[in-house]
Amino acid sequence: MSSDLDSPRTTTERLLVRQARWVAHDVVELRLTRATGGALPAWEPGAHVELVLPSGLRRAYSLCGEVTDAEAWTVAVHRVPDGRGGSREIHETALVGRELEVRGPVNRFPLVPAEGYLLLAGGIGVTPLLPMARELTARGLPWRLVLGARDRSRLVYAEELVELGGDRVLLVPQDEAGLPDLAAELAATPTAYAVYACGPQPMLDAVTALCRTADSARALHLERFASADDAIPDQLGAVDGEFEVVLSRSGLRLTVPDDRSVLDVVREKLPEIPYSCEEGYCGSCETAVLAGLPDHRDSVIEPCERPTATTMMICVSRCDSPVLELDL
């Protein structure tokens, strides 16, 4: 599993918040451009960028604008009152006219070749799927998108989706129609279709369980906005002992105590290292492992990939060997 963070397409620069507008209840869209204009790096559906907010908080958001809009990146942010503060800061700070440090684009949720696609979204989870729907329409490939939310006011980009896809789009406001019938959607979808899902954890858990059944086993691709409870190993049997981490490019050898993460220790020496969620689900801190045995505790690398994975999420994962060497 390779990291996009070292890709030549990944850039860090200051971009101007050119425009902000409401696109649903408690969801604000930001349009980011270079202050003097000019083309930004190209991106593909599923990509995200990381914003460094005025407070210093770093948060990753899916790009949801037009891939053909070369001069702007667009993100949409749902305000979470009891979250970790990033969305509240974006909603409560006058950002239009200010410049933010932006890093990206990075894509860990790319479209893979398939005969067709079923796109399942819950609330703000539609943001990476909207560009996918546009791309699939442009390619002439079959697709269907199901978007659920608590009520119609929270159906993000509903009008644009219906205009784009017509009856290929199913809007499910929970207060009117209940929860989306995921089992029925999967049953009606050919097994050769790829399934993409992004939304609340209960929805992702339900989709995962349905796709694992013998009758509907199929390719499933998930984008998480929160850590998966069952993706982190049972800590009762885990050993959180001290170990050494060697940063090969920086020529540093550091000690990671049992009560601190690799990310915490590394950031003391390399403060510019990318990170965001600090819970192992966004992938922003993915780092190449050169030597050692990582103890993967994230929800980015699938369990079946862990034995051969060549990267790790240093915000939550640890080490099962005395020394861990990283490409930093």
Side-chain angles (χ1 to χ4, degrees):
M1 187 171 185
S2 62
S3 172
D4 291 308
L5 294 177
D6 295 322
S7 166
R9 295 180 59 196
T10 301
T11 64
T12 301
E13 57 185 298
R14 296 193 67 80
L15 296 182
L16 180 70
V17 182
R18 183 75 66 176
Q19 181 185 54
R21 70 181 182 111
W22 296 104
V23 292
H25 180 78
D26 272 348
V27 178
V28 66
E29 179 192 86
L30 302 180
R31 180 177 169 84
L32 306 160
T33 70
R34 289 191 169 127
T36 56
L40 293 169
W43 58 280
E44 296 178 349
H48 70 263
V49 293
E50 180 186 77
L51 308 185
V52 181
L53 305 182
S55 68
L57 287 176
R58 297 169 180 255
R59 296 293 182 264
Y61 298 105
S62 296
L63 289 170
C64 56
E66 299 274 358
V67 295
T68 55
D69 186 356
E71 296 194 357
W73 286 342
T74 301
V75 299
V77 181
H78 175 223
R79 186 178 186 275
V80 183
D82 57 350
R84 296 180 299 122
S87 68
R88 293 198 307 274
E89 182 174 351
I90 287 175
H91 277 250
E92 298 170 7
T93 305
L95 292 178
V96 175
R98 299 181 66 166
E99 289 187 349
L100 300 177
E101 183 178 305
V102 183
R103 192 169 193 272
V106 174
N107 197 349
R108 295 185 178 82
F109 192 46
L111 276 173
V112 299
E115 293 182 11
Y117 300 80
L118 175 63
L119 311 176
L120 303 173
I124 194 65
V126 76
T127 50
L129 302 184
L130 173 57
M132 291 184 183
R134 295 194 193 104
E135 177 74 12
L136 296 173
T137 300
R139 293 186 197 174
L141 292 170
W143 61 272
R144 176 173 173 80
L145 185 145
V146 179
L147 171 60
R150 280 192 286 167
D151 56 58
R152 287 191 178 275
S153 71
R154 301 173 191 272
L155 291 168
V156 186
Y157 292 119
E159 292 183 7
E160 184 169 350
L161 284 165
V162 171
E163 182 178 352
L164 176 70
D167 59 7
R168 288 182 289 184
V169 174
L170 176 64
L171 304 177
V172 188
Q174 186 177 341
D175 61 339
E176 300 174 24
L179 296 173
D181 190 341
L182 300 176
E185 292 293 335
L186 287 165
T189 301
T191 55
Y193 280 30
V195 180
Y196 281 74
C198 184
Q201 192 59 46
M203 185 196 90
L204 299 185
D205 290 343
V207 175
T208 300
L210 288 167
C211 285
R212 284 176 178 168
T213 63
D215 292 337
S216 62
R218 64 190 68 227
L220 174 62
H221 308 269
L222 302 178
E223 177 92 316
R224 300 185 190 277
F225 288 158
S227 57
D229 293 337
D230 61 356
I232 308 301
D234 184 354
Q235 301 303 303
L236 293 177
V239 177
D240 288 334
E242 178 179 290
F243 59 94
E244 301 293 308
V245 60
V246 174
L247 310 184
S248 62
R249 281 187 277 141
S250 305
L252 298 172
R253 187 182 184 99
L254 309 172
T255 299
V256 180
D258 58 8
D259 61 348
R260 301 186 66 196
S261 69
V262 177
L263 176 64
D264 286 340
V265 172
V266 170
R267 284 190 62 228
E268 291 182 348
K269 301 296 183 181
L270 305 177
E272 296 305 312
I273 191 168
Y275 71 96
S276 182
C277 74
E278 298 183 73
E279 295 180 8
Y281 65 82
C282 76
S284 294
C285 68
E286 185 175 15
T287 303
V289 177
L290 302 179
L293 298 174
D295 175 12
H296 297 288
R297 303 185 182 187
D298 62 273
S299 53
V300 177
I301 301 175
E302 295 293 333
C304 63
E305 298 176 320
R306 291 175 180 175
T308 58
T310 58
T311 64
M312 66 183 287
M313 310 307 141
I314 61 174
C315 64
V316 294
S317 297
R318 297 188 68 79
C319 184
D320 283 335
S321 57
V323 180
L324 181 70
E325 184 176 354
L326 301 176
D327 186 20
L328 290 173

